[in-house]
Amino acid sequence: VSTQSTGPPDPHSPMNCAAVVLIVALVSSVQSYASMMRSYRCDEALHSGMVLMSYPAEASALRTLLVTSADSGKRIECGGEYTPGERLLVTLSEPPAGTSYAEHAIDVRGNARFSSGGCELRRGLGEWRVANDAGAVDAPPVELLTFTAGGAIDLVAGWQRTMGAVKITPHCRLRGVGDPVTQAPLPSPIPQAKDDL
């Protein structure tokens, strides 16, 4: 004859208390990509191979940086020129079809800073999500970039849908009107973009 109880488990038993403590510890240790990038490795630009969220980041051309002048509304292509003193709006293209949620960090190097974000305003942070069953999208706010001086600036972004490797966008360099074209080395390796998921 079994002497084990067939009633509901005792919530105060040592085994159940240990399980609750373990679950709380695991949940509290999870940090989103965007919040981690607010203060993580601020001394270097994002690049492929950098270990982020426990995996080496991977180059990908699935999303690209989009830069527009806030003053004229004109799109500025990577490799192009901006007018020193103008304000730029920076965002990412939409994630691949079927994505319901993605976080990102956009990194800037040179004489420019974002209006908000982390790493002493060198990183703009945001998220993209499908807001409801009808497919409406909550897009991230467009980041406002202002300049402390002229010269070349370098932009790159990292983004992640859920778990797994962070994807690094193609690198984007802009230079001020009249600045000499330079082949100076970039602050971090430029990822060779590949179209993988």
Side-chain angles (χ1 to χ4, degrees):
V1 176
S2 172
T3 59
Q4 290 183 335
S5 170
T6 58
D10 178 5
H12 302 292
S13 74
M15 190 62 128
N16 285 335
C17 289
V20 169
V21 169
L22 177 61
I23 290 169
V24 169
L26 288 173
V27 169
S28 64
S29 69
V30 173
Q31 188 177 26
S32 74
Y33 169 67
S35 64
M36 181 189 83
M37 295 313 296
R38 184 170 295 280
S39 60
Y40 181 72
R41 293 175 71 170
C42 293
D43 58 330
E44 59 184 309
L46 303 174
H47 59 85
S48 58
M50 175 186 265
V51 176
L52 301 169
M53 305 302 285
S54 302
Y55 298 93
E58 299 175 353
S60 172
L62 290 172
R63 298 181 78 182
T64 56
L65 287 161
L66 306 174
V67 183
T68 306
S69 169
D71 301 319
S72 68
K74 176 185 167 188
R75 174 86 179 269
I76 302 173
E77 300 295 334
C78 293
E81 296 179 322
Y82 67 90
T83 302
E86 79 177 318
R87 300 167 305 145
L88 300 183
L89 301 175
V90 183
T91 191
L92 277 176
S93 60
E94 289 194 0
T99 301
S100 59
Y101 180 79
E103 295 185 340
H104 71 259
I106 302 174
D107 190 278
V108 63
R109 301 291 148 155
N111 295 319
R113 298 292 182 272
F114 289 111
S115 57
S116 64
C119 293
E120 298 180 345
L121 303 182
R122 287 189 178 276
R123 288 205 184 124
L125 311 167
E127 60 185 36
W128 184 99
R129 72 174 72 227
V130 175
N132 58 36
D133 292 338
V137 169
D138 283 339
V142 176
E143 301 292 342
L144 178 63
L145 192 65
T146 57
F147 293 87
T148 55
I153 63 163
D154 296 299
L155 293 159
V156 66
W159 62 279
Q160 183 184 46
R161 287 187 284 195
T162 51
M163 295 299 291
V166 170
K167 306 297 185 189
I168 303 295
T169 65
H171 193 275
C172 182
R173 171 169 278 184
L174 302 175
R175 61 188 181 89
V177 171
D179 288 342
V181 176
T182 176
Q183 298 301 319
L186 298 172
S188 295
I190 302 175
Q192 297 303 308
K194 59 183 182 180
D195 291 322
D196 62 350
L197 292 176

